[in-house]
Amino acid sequence: MSGGWNASLYDGSHGFVAQYGRALVPLLEPRAGERILDVGCGTGQLTAEIAESGARVVGIDASPAMVAQAREKYPSLEFVTGSVCEMEYAEEFDALFSNAVLHWVKPPEVAARAMARALKPGGRLVVEFGGRGNVAGLVEAAYGALRRLGIAEPEGLNPWYYPSVGEYTALLEASGIEVTLAMLFERPTPLQEGEAGIAAWFRMFGGALMAPLHAEQAAEFLRLVPETAPAHLRREGGWTADYWRLRVVGRRNGPKTGACPT
Ligand code: BEZ
């Protein structure tokens, strides 16, 4: 994740991120003594769950605020501030895990190479993030509100990377990962806080879309998004986010020794 996050808000109103990610941990099959890297660990909830296996887990996140909160919550675990693309780990980890982060990370091919390089040959990779079509309704709401505020080409503000199964598996394979499972699935996610839930989601995650707005316009944007959101996102008493998850499991291939993919 990038900097500028409100770590307390993330843990509070948006705790569902880690809750859903919990389903991913059994796919990782962490074992005692293994060294595991949690990429984009946020405030460390899933890092701690993985560590319960007895594995030695390192959580890395680009946000100093997230890492500070993770260290406070789990002082016995190791957390590092750093971006995925700039990781310099080489053949150090038995497995790599990442939940709800890689849609923020560009360029994706640099991230994929850095993740592959971090793994020992044969090391396992389990990642899940937003895939093709993710939050398309929320994005439509944002573009509608931005156009009403006079932003002509709001598409240019979209910070996210939502690849298809074919696109992402090809990218991983080119980085030296053999993909053993890949799936894109719909995961409608009820937003908290009733009617205000959609504005709360943009307040937490929509910083890039609101970047050109001054304070009054940003307040107007948050007032407008419920009006511009497509009707299918409405549920009784609130909103549902149209999340689509891309889940990929793989393994680093290549010789036991030798050059890392660059
Ligand atoms: C996601 O987890 O899919 C997501 C979260 C925040 C912003 C965009 C997508």
Side-chain angles (χ1 to χ4, degrees), residues 87-112:
M87 294 190 307
E88 290 181 351
Y89 300 115
E91 303 198 354
E92 290 181 42
F93 293 95
D94 298 288
L96 181 148
F97 177 89
S98 182
N99 177 53
V101 167
L102 294 173
H103 47 258
W104 293 101
V105 182
K106 291 179 184 168
E109 56 280 7
V110 176

Side-chain angles (χ1 to χ4, degrees), residues 42-259:
T43 59
Q45 249 159 282
L46 296 176
T47 322
E49 287 198 21
I50 296 167
E52 281 171 17
S53 64
R56 291 169 294 138
V57 193
V58 177
I60 183 166
D61 201 287
S63 161
M66 293 284 189
V67 168
Q69 181 132 328
R71 286 183 179 142
E72 201 175 310
K73 282 165 66 183
Y74 308 108
S76 64
L77 300 184
E78 183 180 347
F79 294 99
V80 175
T81 306
S83 84
V84 183
C85 292
E86 288 166 15
M87 294 190 307
E88 290 181 351
Y89 300 115
E91 303 198 354
E92 290 181 42
F93 293 95
D94 298 288
L96 181 148
F97 177 89
S98 182
N99 177 53
V101 167
L102 294 173
H103 47 258
W104 293 101
V105 182
K106 291 179 184 168
E109 56 280 7
V110 176
R113 282 199 296 266
M115 293 193 296
R117 192 170 50 231
L119 286 168
K120 296 175 185 171
R124 314 185 302 282
L125 172 137
V126 175
V127 300
E128 185 171 304
F129 61 106
R132 180 65 55 88
N134 194 42
V135 296
L138 289 172
V139 168
E140 185 184 323
Y143 290 170
L146 287 165
R147 283 198 191 92
R148 286 205 206 168
L149 288 165
I151 307 288
E153 289 178 4
E155 296 81 3
L157 297 168
N158 189 327
W160 298 306
Y161 166 65
Y162 296 139
S164 66
V165 165
E167 193 180 335
Y168 200 66
T169 55
L171 191 150
L172 284 181
E173 283 170 9
S175 307
I177 299 289
E178 185 185 356
V179 174
T180 53
L181 176 147
M183 60 196 286
L184 179 68
F185 59 97
E186 197 172 8
R187 198 203 66 201
T189 301
L191 297 179
Q192 310 296 308
E193 305 180 46
E195 264 306 301
I198 193 163
W201 190 90
F202 280 107
R203 210 176 292 118
M204 180 74 208
F205 298 119
L209 292 163
M210 291 191 273
L213 308 179
H214 56 66
E216 274 172 29
Q217 285 177 311
E220 182 62 2
F221 171 89
L222 295 172
R223 196 193 63 71
L224 284 172
V225 278
E227 282 178 28
T228 51
H232 70 267
L233 298 187
R234 278 210 165 271
R235 65 184 167 93
E236 208 179 319
W239 297 95
T240 298
D242 48 346
Y243 278 33
W244 282 81
R245 302 284 89 185
L246 180 59
R247 177 178 292 181
V248 183
V249 178
R251 188 171 278 281
R252 176 171 167 180
N253 53 29
K256 286 263 181 267
T257 56

